[in-house]
Amino acid sequence: MTALFFGMLLRLIQATLEGAPTLLIGVLLAGVFRHMLNAEGTRRIFGNGTWRSIPQSWALGMLLPVCSLGVIPIAYEMRRAGVSTGAILAFALTAPLFNPLSLLYGLTLSTPIIVIAFATASLVLVTLLGCGWDWLFASDSPGRSVETTPIAPGWQRIAGVFVVACQYLTGSILLYYLIALSGNLLLCLIFPVGSLQSQFAQNDPWAPMIMLVLAVPVYATPMTIMSQIGSMFVHGNSIGAAYTLLALGTGVNLGLLAWMARNHSWFRTFVLLLVFAGSVTMIAYGIQVPLSVEGSVDHPHTHAFDIYSAPFESSAPNVQWMFRHQLAESAMAYEQIALSILGFMSLCGLADRFLLRRIDLEEWLSRSSVSHKSDSRRLDLYLPSSVLGLVVIFGLVAASIAGCFIYYPPPAETLKEMRYVRAEAMSAVASRDKLTATRNLDRYEELTRRLEVGYYLRNGSLSDFQRTKCRVLRGWLERCKHTTEAGEFEAAREMTNSIFAAHRRVREAFLE
Amino acid sequence: MKRSLFHICMFSLCLFIMGCSNAIDTEHAGHGHSHDHNGHHHHDHSGPKASYDVLVTQICEHRDAIKSAFDADNKDEAHDPLHEIGHLVGQLPDAAAETDMSEADWNQVKEASDSLMESFGKVDAMFHGDDEGVEFSEVEQNVQDAITVLQEKVEVVSSANQETQQ
């Protein structure tokens, strides 16, 4: 019972931490939509009422760095602005599918053409779903179109954006976030420790179906899913299962479904899910053989999905110690910062809801901003809210592109980091420290991907030679990791020379 | 080009359907082993795949077996070696990348591997009743040219190794 409790708590905290940065972006964007773009501007940016509405929605969605949790407040705001449900669906299902970071990562996988094929199939499917919904349930669209009292330019408008963002972190919407995160708890109950390690073999006809059971309730960020797909390619796992994971795992979660059901009836949401999941499964089985890839290791066994199964055996000793250890291991600094900001904003939202309940902050900001007039007109230029809104949105897109250059540093820098991580990994193998060794081997493997993307970003191309050198190194790291996990430390140590040689060849391929 | 791609795809598809049961002679493929942990069976994750020179030797042996079968008009005997050679050829680029050969040499190995895959793919197509399938004699020269390139690179690798040891 203790193991189950701590296991579920661990999965809940891990999912919350993982989603914090993209949820933060989601709530801030919702504020921008309301007070900078306004309802009219929001409808226009999503091409409401035109044929380009749905493609425009998914194109915008793919450029914004949000996850399936972060799209919920945006979907709220889109509905409030009166955007059609088809466009909301297109945005909500594709925005988490890719973002610039995950797409670049995906393109370095052994077969980038498969990732492009996955993306194309998903976009076509989402377009058809959106059009179908708008056509079938025309009476249901558009949304309520609530006009908000405009706030004039100045600090008041920025405060208005903040107020809306805080409001989206309290109240009934919290329930949808919790429902979304509870999907991971559900999986933790369904799948015992390690049960997902050998489920997705290439020749297993059930692999896409098992993935379907996992992908609908799961909540994960686009980057996590993309790295899991990368791992599936390395292990030569079922390509149909990989597609199912991408299409449903990133785009759909239980919270989003609950929100759809609340706004558009349970029956319609169920039909939507049935059609979407059914189409994804058909595509998955259709591509299973023609697009199959041979992995660089000889077995389908992978730990990529361990984060969705129960973390602790019921008989495991020291569960609390393992809980703390795993939590410390998985909590990234940027996630903790984002979660802290969200916590602060939630407190502000609660204060607004309970302490200032007699005051409508947005109304007050609107009134107080009317009297504001600039004395220095030449310096304090008036910019329409739509221009500011667009600047914020495209600024975010530009920032995420710039972020790619930070996340994927120059090859020399990545190679330097790889050297340090290799030293830590190999010394952990030598000292038989299984947890540290596997964590560093995972990190080492991830750095080889960053190396490829970093080079590609700066040079515009990546040769087959370089790709192969990295793949060979990853193959050795995988073998070393599995051997270490099996407790065969001597066998893992024997691989040290091969790993060093493969590393040297990678360095020569990228720097010479 | 389209036709070449088609043959490579079809050949790969056949290899996939046939599975790996009779794929590779593991005699030279390092110390592969299997074991259990956490109730899950693991396979061969400690040993490397066959080295480049071993692969080239095996490819030559299988090529000879295929040629002999066709020469003796006993084509059915060439079918199994044909599938096995496909697996071996598929491993060549990675095995070559595990050596210190230069990018230019590696590109030649890759090109030769693609050429072998295409040639053997055409021969395999004949066994599956494809109109575009050909006799081994029709691709023999291409196969020989590709293998010559691969063998040259074995010498490049061995001389590079000797230099490193000195």
Side-chain angles (χ1 to χ4, degrees), chain A residues 76-398:
Chain A
Y76 251 78
E77 209 50 51
M78 287 168 77
R79 183 160 170 78
R80 187 186 159 95
V83 176
S84 74
T85 311
I88 298 176
L89 266 181
F91 178 84
L93 294 177
T94 49
L97 210 58
F98 293 107
N99 62 39
L101 281 179
S102 71
L103 190 61
L104 278 168
Y105 188 95
L107 292 178
T108 64
L109 299 181
S110 56
T111 37
I113 189 72
I114 294 181
V115 175
I116 294 168
F118 281 8
T120 312
S122 299
L123 293 178
V124 170
L125 195 55
V126 165
T127 306
L128 291 175
L129 272 180
C131 292
W133 183 286
D134 279 349
W135 181 64
L136 279 172
F137 309 122
S139 59
D140 189 45
S141 305
R144 289 171 287 168
S145 185
V146 178
E147 291 298 332
T148 313
T149 320
I151 303 177
W155 67 266
Q156 290 93 340
R157 192 165 55 184
I158 296 170
V161 170
F162 183 75
V163 168
V164 174
C166 294
Q167 285 170 354
Y168 276 124
L169 290 169
T170 56
S172 61
I173 196 168
L174 271 183
L175 189 66
Y176 297 117
Y177 301 147
L178 281 175
I179 294 173
L181 296 172
S182 70
N184 290 29
L185 302 187
L186 187 69
L187 292 173
C188 179
L189 287 173
I190 297 174
F191 298 110
V193 182
S195 60
L196 289 168
Q197 290 172 0
S198 306
Q199 294 293 341
F200 306 110
Q202 196 174 68
N203 51 4
D204 182 355
W206 289 102
M209 293 307 287
I210 296 168
M211 188 57 87
L212 185 70
V213 174
L214 185 148
V216 173
V218 81
Y219 161 71
T221 59
M223 204 53 190
T224 304
I225 296 281
M226 198 55 86
S227 59
Q228 283 164 348
I229 289 175
S231 176
M232 291 180 84
F233 287 174
V234 168
H235 290 86
N237 287 153
S238 156
I239 210 76
Y243 172 68
T244 310
L245 176 67
L246 182 74
L248 289 166
T250 44
V252 176
N253 66 47
L254 296 181
L256 195 64
L257 291 173
W259 179 80
M260 282 294 293
R262 175 80 178 79
N263 288 289
H264 303 282
S265 92
W266 287 97
F267 177 71
R268 285 178 188 182
T269 307
F270 178 70
V271 172
L272 174 82
L273 178 64
L274 210 63
V275 172
F276 190 35
S279 311
V280 166
T281 309
M282 278 198 292
I283 294 174
Y285 276 103
I287 62 173
Q288 180 85 333
V289 172
L291 290 186
S292 63
V293 284
E294 196 174 324
S296 49
V297 288
D298 303 336
H299 52 91
H301 173 94
T302 170
H303 289 269
F305 303 103
D306 281 358
I307 57 166
Y308 304 134
S309 58
F312 313 122
E313 300 268 13
S314 54
S315 56
N318 294 328
V319 167
Q320 291 182 35
W321 178 85
M322 286 198 291
F323 168 81
R324 280 196 299 272
H325 185 87
Q326 287 202 25
L327 195 58
E329 215 177 60
S330 57
M332 297 286 168
Y334 70 93
E335 292 172 347
Q336 292 175 45
I337 293 168
L339 193 62
S340 306
I341 297 171
L342 284 177
F344 171 71
M345 288 170 70
S346 300
L347 287 176
C348 294
L350 286 172
D352 173 37
R353 188 172 286 267
F354 296 109
L355 300 178
L356 306 171
R357 59 184 157 189
R358 288 188 189 163
I359 307 167
D360 183 343
L361 267 181
E362 287 180 84
E363 183 68 30
W364 178 79
L365 286 168
S366 168
R367 273 204 318 274
S368 67
S369 65
V370 174
S371 58
H372 171 79
K373 279 197 177 145
S374 173
D375 296 328
S376 51
R377 289 194 130 194
R378 276 198 310 173
L379 293 174
D380 191 8
L381 289 176
Y382 171 75
L383 286 174
S385 57
S386 56
V387 171
L388 277 178
L390 287 173
V391 167
V392 169
I393 287 169
F394 287 104
L396 202 56
V397 172

Side-chain angles (χ1 to χ4, degrees), chain B:
Chain B
M1 184 63 194
K2 273 183 186 170
R3 193 170 283 185
S4 308
L5 199 63
F6 174 76
H7 283 125
I8 291 173
C9 290
M10 288 307 292
F11 193 39
S12 304
L13 187 64
C14 284
L15 295 176
F16 174 76
I17 293 167
M18 287 284 290
C20 303
S21 55
N22 56 355
I24 182 165
D25 177 6
T26 50
E27 188 185 349
H28 307 287
H31 56 291
H33 67 276
S34 55
H35 61 269
D36 284 280
H37 78 90
N38 276 352
H40 303 286
H41 196 62
H42 285 199
H43 301 279
D44 286 337
H45 50 60
S46 69
K49 291 183 176 179
S51 64
Y52 176 73
D53 55 335
V54 170
L55 278 177
V56 174
T57 309
Q58 289 179 339
I59 287 168
C60 289
E61 286 168 9
H62 282 85
R63 185 269 321 263
D64 293 343
I66 294 165
K67 183 175 160 44
S68 306
F70 271 88
D71 287 347
D73 203 19
N74 199 357
K75 293 174 190 169
D76 282 346
E77 276 188 17
H79 203 177
D80 282 347
L82 205 52
H83 283 163
E84 284 163 21
I85 210 168
H87 279 286
L88 297 172
V89 171
Q91 292 177 56
L92 273 174
D94 279 17
E98 294 230 42
T99 70
D100 285 331
M101 72 171 68
S102 68
E103 183 165 2
D105 285 335
W106 184 86
N107 284 336
Q108 286 182 38
V109 169
K110 177 83 170 59
E111 217 171 286
S113 309
D114 290 346
S115 167
L116 281 180
M117 204 57 129
E118 186 193 336
S119 299
F120 286 119
K122 284 179 182 171
V123 179
D124 186 56
M126 188 199 72
F127 284 97
H128 299 282
D130 191 320
D131 294 341
E132 288 170 6
V134 297
E135 293 281 332
F136 179 72
S137 58
E138 292 178 60
V139 294
E140 192 175 355
Q141 191 55 48
N142 287 345
V143 169
Q144 187 49 48
D145 292 347
I147 285 181
T148 305
V149 171
L150 297 179
Q151 284 171 329
E152 278 170 15
K153 302 307 166 199
V154 171
E155 284 163 28
V156 169
V157 171
S158 82
S159 58
N161 284 348
Q162 280 169 2
E163 276 174 29
T164 314
Q165 281 166 2
Q166 282 166 5

Side-chain angles (χ1 to χ4, degrees), chain A residues 7-51:
Chain A
M8 291 176 78
L9 188 63
L10 178 69
R11 290 294 179 243
L12 183 68
I13 299 174
Q14 280 176 330
T16 311
L17 272 168
E18 201 185 320
T22 42
L23 178 62
L24 180 61
I25 291 170
V27 292
L28 287 171
L29 272 174
V32 167
F33 280 150
R34 187 174 311 171
H35 286 304
M36 293 213 167
L37 283 173
N38 298 327
E40 173 59 30
T42 304
R43 283 195 295 273
R44 208 169 47 234
I45 202 171
F46 288 103
N48 223 25
T50 63
W51 64 268

